[in-house]
């Protein structure tokens, strides 16, 4: 069976937040703005949201204490804060962390008498208060997906909550990328690339999801030289990278992430490596074991000749980002994490043994 479900209303364009004022009115009278500490204020997105809300007399309160890879504890703190302020709806602004947090907070505001265990209670009601998402990085695609990944300190890793939460509205404006540090631009762009790779090399891939992947990779490839640092970023690059990220989100919302994402979580938790770089670390190994016609097809669309070409691009960026070496025990731990998450293996379209996972995990160190 083929299916495609993406119920988020997506509006994209210059100054789209301000021109969408009237759409926000239907969500209620008091909005909770969920952001990280600084970037939403630095890139202008916070000001645009305030202007839009003030224009239609919607009250707003700010929760700007969302850390990178937000924890369950942060979600509960934000939820309790929102309940004290009688919030009607949530606006998440930022990269994957604030957007994923906003989804979980919108769920827990609706289920106001539940405690943190509800986030991981399978089969329970996933109703949530209305949710608007405004991405300011070009990687997570969270604005198009229903997934919210949180940090579980007691398990020393990250894990998706048990609820699928699609936003009512996503507002996309490439201008917010213009002030993004180059390292963050690279890391998040690589995350978008991996979403498209893992959607294509996936048992759930269909012509519908591949439509997003193939077009998204072509759009993504237009800014490859910017990521390499050989050309200045333009507003067209920003629009393209933001759109490719959205298409990565749309495809991953259908297919789910596979082995590279599964391997990445403990790198991020234990070595504090940015999500996109942690996932991209395993992409060459994942592609090297895939059907080579499929691998070459998507690599060519993205502007790479073959797996080795992608690997050398990634290594160049990885070194430029000053990422520390990864100890063998962290990589072996990442393999064990994936073995405990059978769904990642089930949607991988080739047989994967423990040794195959080790090969993928160590591919970046030793190559083919
Ligand atoms: Fe990702």
């Amino acid at each position: 069976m083929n299916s495609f479900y993406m119920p988020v209303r997506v509006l994209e364009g210059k100054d789209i937040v301000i021109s969408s004022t009237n759409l926000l009115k239907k969500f209620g009278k008091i909005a909770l703005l969920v952001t990280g500490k600084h970037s939403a204020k630095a890139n202008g997105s916070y000001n645009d949201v305030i202007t839009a809300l003030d224009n239609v007399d919607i009250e707003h309160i700010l929760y700007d204490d969302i850390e990178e890879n937000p924890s369950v504890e942060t979600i509960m703190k934000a939820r309790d804060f929102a309940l004290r302020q009688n919030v009607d709806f949530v606006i998440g602004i930022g990269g994957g962390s604030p957007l994923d947090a906003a989804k979980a907070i919108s769920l827990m505001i609706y289920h106001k008498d539940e405690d943190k265990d509800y986030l991981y209670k399978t089969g329970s009601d996933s109703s949530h208060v209305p949710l608007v998402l405004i991405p300011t990085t070009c990687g997570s695609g969270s604005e198009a997906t229903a997934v919210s990944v949180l940090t579980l300190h007691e398990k020393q890793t990250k894990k998706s909550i048990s609820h699928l939460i699609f936003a009512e509205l996503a507002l996309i404006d490439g201008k917010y990328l213009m002030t993004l540090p180059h390292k963050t631009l690279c890391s998040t762009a690589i995350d978008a690339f991996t979403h498209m790779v893992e959607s294509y090399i996936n048992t759930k891939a269909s012509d519908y999801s591949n439509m997003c992947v193939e077009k998204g990779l072509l759009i993504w490839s237009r800014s490859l030289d910017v990521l390499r640092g050989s050309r200045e970023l333009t507003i067209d690059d920003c629009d393209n990278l933001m759109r490719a990220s959205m298409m990565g989100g749309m495809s991953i919302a259908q297919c789910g992430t596979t082995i590279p994402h599964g391997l990445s979580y403990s790198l991020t938790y234990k070595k504090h490596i940015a999500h996109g770089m942690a996932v991209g670390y395993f992409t060459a190994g994942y592609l090297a074991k895939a059907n080579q016609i499929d691998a070459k097809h998507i690599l060519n669309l993205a502007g790479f000749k073959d797996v080795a070409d992608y690997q050398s691009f990634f290594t160049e960026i990885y070194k430029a980002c000053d990422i520390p070496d990864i100890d063998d025990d962290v990589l072996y731990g990442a393999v064990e994490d994936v073995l405990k998450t059978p769904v990642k293996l089930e949607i991988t379209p080739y047989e994967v043994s423990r040794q195959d996972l080790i090969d993928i995990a160590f591919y970046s160190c030793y190559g083919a």
Side-chain angles (χ1 to χ4, degrees), residues 139-141 191-192 194-195 198 252 257 261 264-265 275-276 279:
S140 76
D191 189 25
T194 67
H195 291 160
E198 290 175 45
I252 215 73
T257 58
H261 270 74
S264 77
Y265 296 137
H275 172 69
V279 183

Side-chain angles (χ1 to χ4, degrees), residues 188-209:
T188 58
I190 288 173
D191 189 25
F193 168 76
T194 67
H195 291 160
M196 292 186 272
V197 167
E198 290 175 45
S199 296
Y200 196 86
I201 309 291
N202 192 307
T203 59
K204 292 187 176 175
S206 70
D207 284 346
Y208 299 105
S209 60

Side-chain angles (χ1 to χ4, degrees), residues 4-8 10 99 103 133 135 140-147 165-167 169-170 172 245-254:
F4 192 91
Y5 183 62
M6 218 300 286
V8 183
V10 180
L99 302 196
K103 290 176 191 171
L133 297 178
S140 76
S142 182
E143 63 278 11
T145 77
V147 174
I165 314 282
F166 279 110
L169 178 65
I172 317 293
S245 171
M246 168 60 86
M247 290 184 181
M250 286 180 181
S251 55
I252 215 73
Q254 315 309 315

Side-chain angles (χ1 to χ4, degrees), residues 42-265:
N43 61 36
S45 54
Y46 175 71
N47 273 344
D48 283 354
V49 172
I50 297 300
T51 303
L53 295 175
D54 286 347
N55 283 346
V56 282
D57 294 323
I58 296 174
E59 282 182 49
H60 41 84
I61 56 167
L62 174 64
Y63 191 89
D64 64 357
D65 218 5
I66 304 297
E67 73 275 39
E68 277 292 300
N69 309 302
S71 66
V72 164
E73 290 74 19
T74 296
I75 302 307
M76 297 311 290
K77 252 193 259 175
R79 188 281 295 267
D80 293 345
F81 174 72
L83 288 179
R84 290 196 294 275
Q85 310 283 337
N86 294 315
V87 159
D88 296 314
F89 69 107
V90 175
I91 303 178
I93 311 165
S97 294
L99 302 196
D100 280 15
K103 290 176 191 171
I105 293 165
S106 73
L107 171 84
M108 295 309 294
I109 292 173
Y110 188 94
H111 298 279
K112 58 183 177 2
D113 297 323
E114 299 287 350
D115 66 15
K116 70 183 172 74
D117 294 341
Y118 195 77
L119 290 162
Y120 289 94
K121 190 169 176 186
T122 51
S124 51
D125 176 30
S126 297
S127 300
H128 58 94
V129 299
L131 176 66
V132 179
L133 297 178
I134 303 169
T136 63
T137 65
C138 51
S140 76
S142 182
E143 63 278 11
T145 77
V147 174
S148 168
V149 182
L150 302 178
T151 296
L152 284 167
H153 287 303
E154 71 260 32
K155 295 199 171 151
Q156 298 199 347
T157 191
K158 292 167 61 176
K159 190 176 176 203
S160 299
I161 64 171
S162 303
H163 302 267
L164 295 177
I165 314 282
F166 279 110
E168 273 60 36
L169 178 65
L171 299 174
I172 317 293
D173 190 338
K175 73 178 180 182
Y176 302 134
L177 295 182
M178 285 302 287
T179 51
L180 202 61
H182 185 69
K183 285 179 188 177
T184 314
L185 188 84
C186 288
S187 171
T188 58
I190 288 173
D191 189 25
F193 168 76
T194 67
H195 291 160
M196 292 186 272
V197 167
E198 290 175 45
S199 296
Y200 196 86
I201 309 291
N202 192 307
T203 59
K204 292 187 176 175
S206 70
D207 284 346
Y208 299 105
S209 60
N210 288 345
M211 169 183 73
C212 297
V213 171
E214 290 173 337
K215 189 68 184 176
L217 287 172
L218 264 181
I219 294 170
W220 187 89
S221 73
R222 294 175 193 154
S223 301
L224 202 49
D225 46 0
V226 172
L227 303 179
R228 289 185 196 275
S230 54
R231 181 168 65 73
E232 287 290 312
L233 180 74
T234 66
I235 189 65
D236 284 345
D237 292 310
C238 294
D239 289 340
N240 283 331
L241 288 169
M242 206 61 120
R243 199 170 301 142
S245 171
M246 168 60 86
M247 290 184 181
M250 286 180 181
S251 55
I252 215 73
Q254 315 309 315
C255 303
T257 58
T258 62
I259 289 170
H261 270 74
L263 289 169
S264 77
Y265 296 137

